[in-house]
Amino acid sequence: MTAEDPRAARTRAKLREALLDECARRPLDEVSVAALVRRAGVGRATFYVHYADLEALAVDACADVVREAVEALHAWRGRPDPVRAPAALVEFFASLTPHTALYRALLAPGGSGPLGRVLYQDLRAYSLRERELAGAADAPLVASAVAATFAGVLADWLHARIEATSEEIAHQSWQLLVALHRSR
């Protein structure tokens, strides 16, 4: 694996930050590449060197959310409490508030959309690996169910299809996931 060019990394970081700043002011579908590159201090051609379009940049900018979700769901050791979610999961749901509109634009109800696909793939891969290491029965089935359930619940909560505080949804989704793990 080759090391990433530090200049390219800085440029992508500027673009991600500019996008998050723009999306704090207006919905993603109202953000233009021109405004974004102006805010980031880079040229339009530079934007297209790094990203195919605004959606690709938005998914990249939100990729940390996916990593945080996967880590939060696996932030326990030993036997999980079947009722109380790990603190990391509660913190994860609480942290979504500043960019809720952006997450809604990328994570459609039911868990589809570009961010939903990344979340599903990453969470399924992590869950599958963990279940296989533990020698659990039906590892692929349960890993798929866990990933789809979490992506769907998260998306529906962000779209206000589930009425709950961030703490309530953390505990409720945790209870569902623990039940899925125990079902096989």
Side-chain angles (χ1 to χ4, degrees):
M1 180 180 237
T2 61
E4 181 179 28
D5 177 355
R7 292 172 300 170
R10 282 192 301 272
T11 299
R12 281 193 294 280
K14 282 184 193 179
L15 288 166
R16 287 189 300 264
E17 183 179 333
L19 179 78
L20 292 174
D21 288 346
E22 284 291 319
C23 286
R25 293 169 174 73
R26 72 190 98 231
L28 178 62
D29 61 358
E30 293 178 15
V31 174
S32 69
V33 172
L36 185 70
V37 297
R38 200 171 30 255
R39 180 178 289 281
V42 301
R44 189 178 186 93
T46 300
F47 171 86
Y48 288 108
V49 165
H50 297 282
Y51 299 101
D53 54 27
L54 281 173
E55 183 179 279
L57 169 58
V59 170
D60 186 37
C62 294
D64 286 342
V65 170
V66 170
R67 283 187 287 280
E68 290 168 12
V70 171
E71 289 171 14
L73 284 169
H74 295 90
W76 55 273
R77 293 291 170 245
R79 230 174 141 71
D81 181 330
V83 178
R84 306 283 305 160
L89 187 59
V90 175
E91 292 166 14
F92 165 75
F93 275 99
S95 75
L96 298 176
T97 306
H99 298 291
T100 299
L102 177 58
Y103 302 140
R104 282 184 193 138
L106 299 171
L107 186 61
S112 63
L115 190 59
R117 286 188 294 275
V118 173
L119 176 60
Y120 175 85
Q121 290 167 355
D122 287 3
L123 184 53
R124 186 183 186 284
Y126 193 108
S127 294
L128 181 61
R129 189 172 52 251
E130 291 292 309
R131 291 191 64 77
E132 287 176 342
L133 285 172
D138 294 327
L141 175 69
V142 175
S144 292
V146 164
T149 298
F150 185 76
V153 167
L154 173 62
D156 286 356
W157 178 71
L158 286 169
H159 284 274
R161 291 179 166 199
I162 299 172
E163 289 189 33
T165 66
S166 60
E167 185 170 354
E168 290 168 343
I169 198 65
H171 296 304
Q172 292 168 354
S173 60
W174 178 252
Q175 292 164 13
L176 281 173
L177 298 175
V178 168
L180 282 171
H181 276 281
R182 289 185 175 166
S183 68
R184 298 295 298 175

